[in-house]
Amino acid sequence: LVSAFRTLRHVFSSRGGPKNGWLLSGVAQEIDIATGKLLFEWDSMDHVGLDESCLPFKGGHKTKPYDYFHINTIADYDDEHFLIGARNTWCGYKVRKKDGQIAWRLNGKKSNFTMGAGTHMHWQHHARMLGAGIMTVFDNGAKPNEETRSRALILNVNTTTMHVSLRKAYAHPGNPPVLAAAMGSAQQLASGSMFVGWGTQTRFSEFAPDGRLVWTRVHREYFKEHPENFDLRPPGKVFMDEYAKFIAGKNEKLGSAGQLDSLRTYLAG
């Protein structure tokens, strides 16, 4: 399964843009790896109008096409359908494999579902079905900012009542809030824990089934460049020790991994 962007001509006069403008559509493909044969192709412009986009119009030029859809999910829903997701429509689409028609929309401006408390998503990534009626998704909440923290969600999707309810939400504790402007992932492990990649916040975490943060790791270069973004108190200390050891190996003045104040001063210097 492959996702791609296609640059297309479009008239944006009604939006105050160029008459002969450009946009990006979202393309989903299924390719036979052994033969290279294209088995399925779906283009958002054949099924999803610009009126579904939640992204304010800007650009529309060849050097900056309007990214109205921004595909970021393609996965099997069942034997007869794909699940396709788009960041900029805030929506997940159940798509028929035989003809590409949309069976339903979840979230977004034209949702076929009623969305319960805490289930609305904004600029989301990595939607997956975990079997009948359960979906996981990374809800960025930005950017532009619609929420104060990014969340990994487990949703109950009832296709009989066409209602979505919140089973579990995971947000990174501490301040400043972890809010990912792009990318991100949410994967439920066999143990029932939730593994979360925080996208542009360059960290990843594991949460216990009850929602407790078990551990977090941060890309060390981002940590060194932006120490003000990290709370050094527990559970922050879980990953702080690792970076204290790393820095201590380069600067003898830092001493042991427990000298977190020295580490903060060093990184801020």
Side-chain angles (χ1 to χ4, degrees):
L1 299 180
V2 177
S3 62
F5 293 83
R6 179 172 284 152
T7 305
L8 299 172
R9 281 285 195 178
H10 194 78
V11 177
F12 292 111
S13 301
S14 63
R15 295 171 176 256
K19 293 181 180 180
N20 296 309
W22 299 85
L23 62 71
L24 295 176
S25 68
V27 178
Q29 295 180 334
E30 181 181 15
I31 299 172
D32 186 307
I33 295 176
T35 65
K37 182 181 179 181
L38 179 64
L39 304 176
F40 173 87
E41 181 171 290
W42 184 91
D43 191 310
S44 64
M45 278 300 290
D46 296 329
H47 305 277
V48 180
L50 270 66
D51 59 336
E52 291 192 42
S53 185
C54 299
L55 181 71
F57 177 77
K58 57 183 177 181
H61 305 286
K62 189 171 184 178
T63 56
K64 193 174 180 61
Y66 177 49
D67 186 10
Y68 92 102
F69 192 73
H70 198 99
I71 187 170
N72 59 26
T73 289
I74 174 172
D76 276 319
Y77 180 92
D78 56 27
D79 290 341
E80 298 179 352
H81 300 86
F82 288 117
L83 177 65
I84 293 174
R87 167 187 168 87
N88 289 344
T89 61
W90 300 354
C91 190
Y93 303 86
K94 181 183 177 182
V95 173
R96 290 203 297 256
K97 294 181 180 181
K98 67 177 182 179
D99 58 12
Q101 294 301 305
I102 296 172
W104 51 242
R105 291 164 166 83
L106 188 151
N107 204 56
K109 292 182 178 180
K110 296 185 177 182
S111 180
N112 297 111
F113 293 83
T114 55
M115 305 297 292
T119 66
H120 285 90
M121 300 170 285
H122 310 89
W123 320 113
Q124 80 288 339
H125 287 77
H126 195 223
R128 293 291 187 271
M129 298 303 298
L130 299 186
I134 301 176
M135 176 186 286
T136 58
V137 62
F138 182 81
D139 175 26
N140 291 73
K143 185 176 183 182
N145 295 358
E146 297 288 339
E147 303 173 34
T148 58
R149 295 177 185 270
S150 296
R151 305 175 300 157
L153 303 179
I154 303 178
L155 304 176
N156 298 312
V157 180
N158 190 319
T159 56
T160 300
T161 63
M162 298 303 285
H163 179 74
V164 178
S165 61
L166 182 65
R167 175 174 291 209
K168 194 73 178 177
Y170 304 84
H172 200 288
N175 288 298
V178 175
L179 187 64
M183 300 181 283
S185 61
Q187 180 181 359
Q188 189 172 46
L189 306 179
S191 64
S193 295
M194 176 63 77
F195 187 72
V196 184
W198 299 100
T200 52
Q201 288 289 328
T202 63
R203 70 183 77 191
F204 48 94
S205 309
E206 181 180 350
F207 292 85
D210 63 6
R212 291 178 296 106
L213 177 64
V214 179
W215 55 264
T216 292
R217 293 291 183 271
V218 182
H219 191 285
R220 61 167 59 99
E221 293 305 317
Y222 180 85
F223 181 85
K224 288 167 65 179
E225 293 172 6
H226 303 281
E228 71 280 1
N229 289 345
F230 300 96
D231 187 345
L232 303 190
R233 298 168 298 178
K237 190 176 183 299
V238 173
F239 61 80
M240 278 299 305
D241 285 347
E242 178 179 328
Y243 293 101
K245 292 175 183 177
F246 169 73
I247 297 299
K250 293 192 172 185
N251 189 328
E252 294 180 356
K253 294 181 180 179
L254 287 177
S256 69
Q259 294 179 290
L260 301 182
D261 288 338
S262 297
L263 177 59
R264 184 196 292 272
T265 301
Y266 176 80
L267 292 174

